[in-house]
Every structure is written in structure tokens, then in C-alpha cells.
Amino acid sequence: MQDANVDLWATDEVHFQQHGSRCRRWIPPEIKDPVLLHAPTRKSVGYFGAVRLRDGRFVFRLETGKFNGPSFLQFLQQLRSASRGTGRRVVVITDNARYHHSRLHRPWREQHAHHFALDFLPAYSPQLNPIERVWKLTRRRCLYIDVLPARLIGDRAYDSDPLDRRLERDYSIELIRPTGRTAIRPKTGASCDDTSDVGVSNGCLPGCSGSGD
């Protein structure tokens, strides 16, 4: 049931791994159990984020340290500032991470509870948080890597049919005879090179664009 006097937001934290997410690749048909190696790194970038459910407005903050009580309080203060001016009470959906309940920011939350309040999800159900869909979309549009071969092994009756020509035209894939070798190169549909630390957006994280769903 919608209440015109309330703005619902959903907030959460996320780590995006440096090596991205592999989603698909071409392989020769004789390989039954393909293995795609990831880069040997555990480096990642962390964000606080919040999305307004009625229109998708997005508030984010890059976290270079740890997700904890002090950093969460800083983001809540940023979110409160960004969500003011509508004349509506702000209710923020969040999960039950320990630092979301920290005694450090409890006095601040109680001070502003009449117009800015947290609403905690049931225990062990973070998947119910609507912002998880934002993180999923961000990974798909900005971090998924399509590993397509520059040269693809064709069938034994290689004859440069319309499908072959389309592969070459649309994906720069050159079909070769079955005795040839396959070279692999990554292809991405988006770039994420923005260095902004904080901001407000109506879409994906800063610098992320693409045509994925």
C-alpha cells in the first residue's frame, strides 16, 4: 500500500571485484568441460548505495576504508541531505548488518526518526532488499566480460554462409577451418572509468553505461 507522505529508499553496501564477472565465451565443440581462469587478485572497490523506489533516484558513496558504524553514519547523513526537500518522511530499508544497529549512530537516528528512519528487513533475508537488483544490473552492464574469440573454428563444411558473415561483421570473429587455432580476446559492452567518490544519479554507478539488460 502506497503512502503519498512517505518516500521509501533501499540501502546496502557492495564490493565490486577487480577481475569482473565472466558470463559467456565461445569454445570448440570438442571441449566438454571448459575452464576460464580469473586474474589472481582479490582487489575490489566498495560502495554505499541507496535507491528511491518511486523513481529510481540513486545516491552513492565510495568507501575506501571499512564498512562500519562511523562510515555508515557518514552515508546516512549524506542520504538524509540528498532526500530532503520533498516534504515526505523518509523510510530507509536496510538489512541487519551489525554496524547498521551500531550504538555509535543510535542517538543520531533517534534524533531524526520523525522524518528519517531505518526499517530493518527480517533476519537472514538480505535478498528481499530492492537495491540488490541495482547491484545485479551494475555487474551485468559494467563488469560482465564476454570472452569472444577473434578467430572461431568453423564446421567441416565451412562455406562462408550468412551466419559466418554476420559473426565477422557484428563481432569481428573470423571463421577458420577446423584445423586452425583459436585466439581469445575479451570484449566488454561498458566502461567504468569514473573516479567520483560521492554523488546522486538516476541510473547506474558513475561511469557505467551499456546496452545490457
Side-chain angles (χ1 to χ4, degrees):
M1 181 175 179
Q2 294 184 348
D3 187 339
N5 297 315
V6 174
D7 257 346
L8 275 179
W9 289 73
T11 187
D12 193 21
E13 304 80 33
V14 67
H15 274 108
F16 296 116
Q17 302 299 321
Q18 186 183 53
H19 54 61
S21 302
R22 274 68 170 175
C23 58
R24 62 182 180 180
R25 63 169 294 181
W26 292 98
I27 60 169
E30 61 269 18
I31 298 179
K32 303 302 182 184
D33 189 18
V35 175
L36 181 61
L37 301 179
H38 284 255
T41 178
R42 296 177 61 88
K43 293 182 179 180
S44 64
V45 59
Y47 276 94
F48 285 100
V51 62
R52 187 163 62 189
L53 303 192
R54 67 180 170 90
D55 60 2
R57 190 183 190 203
F58 187 61
V59 176
F60 61 91
R61 179 176 180 270
L62 175 66
E63 181 51 59
T64 57
K66 294 182 177 180
F67 294 133
N68 53 26
S71 60
F72 185 57
L73 173 58
Q74 291 178 343
F75 180 68
L76 288 179
Q77 292 170 334
Q78 176 191 342
L79 178 58
R80 176 176 174 268
S81 177
S83 61
R84 297 175 64 179
T86 63
R88 303 183 181 193
R89 183 170 185 258
V90 174
V91 176
V92 183
I93 300 170
T94 188
D95 60 30
N96 286 277
R98 292 185 62 181
Y99 51 84
H100 292 170
H101 294 273
S102 174
R103 288 180 293 179
L104 173 71
H105 50 69
R106 182 181 299 170
W108 184 90
R109 289 190 284 115
E110 292 175 347
Q111 177 185 353
H112 299 286
H114 63 287
H115 61 81
F116 185 93
L118 298 186
D119 187 17
F120 295 97
L121 292 167
Y124 307 108
S125 57
Q127 73 280 3
L128 299 180
N129 195 333
I131 201 173
E132 293 294 343
R133 298 165 63 186
V134 177
W135 302 144
K136 181 179 179 180
L137 180 62
T138 301
R139 287 189 172 94
R140 175 169 295 181
R141 298 187 65 174
C142 302
L143 302 177
Y144 275 16
I145 300 174
D146 286 348
V147 182
L148 300 178
R151 309 181 76 202
L152 182 65
I153 297 177
D155 55 42
R156 295 184 182 278
Y158 171 73
D159 56 3
S160 187
D161 61 21
L163 176 59
D164 299 338
R165 292 192 294 271
R166 182 177 177 183
L167 286 170
E168 183 173 2
R169 181 187 72 244
D170 295 348
Y171 300 101
S172 300
I173 296 174
E174 176 190 358
L175 268 77
I176 58 176
R177 298 185 182 280
T179 54
R181 300 178 60 186
T182 304
I184 303 296
R185 68 176 181 182
K187 291 177 69 69
T188 60
S191 62
C192 294
D193 54 2
D194 196 288
T195 57
S196 301
D197 292 346
V198 298
V200 179
S201 172
N202 289 323
C204 193
L205 287 177
C208 298
S209 61
S211 59
D213 296 328

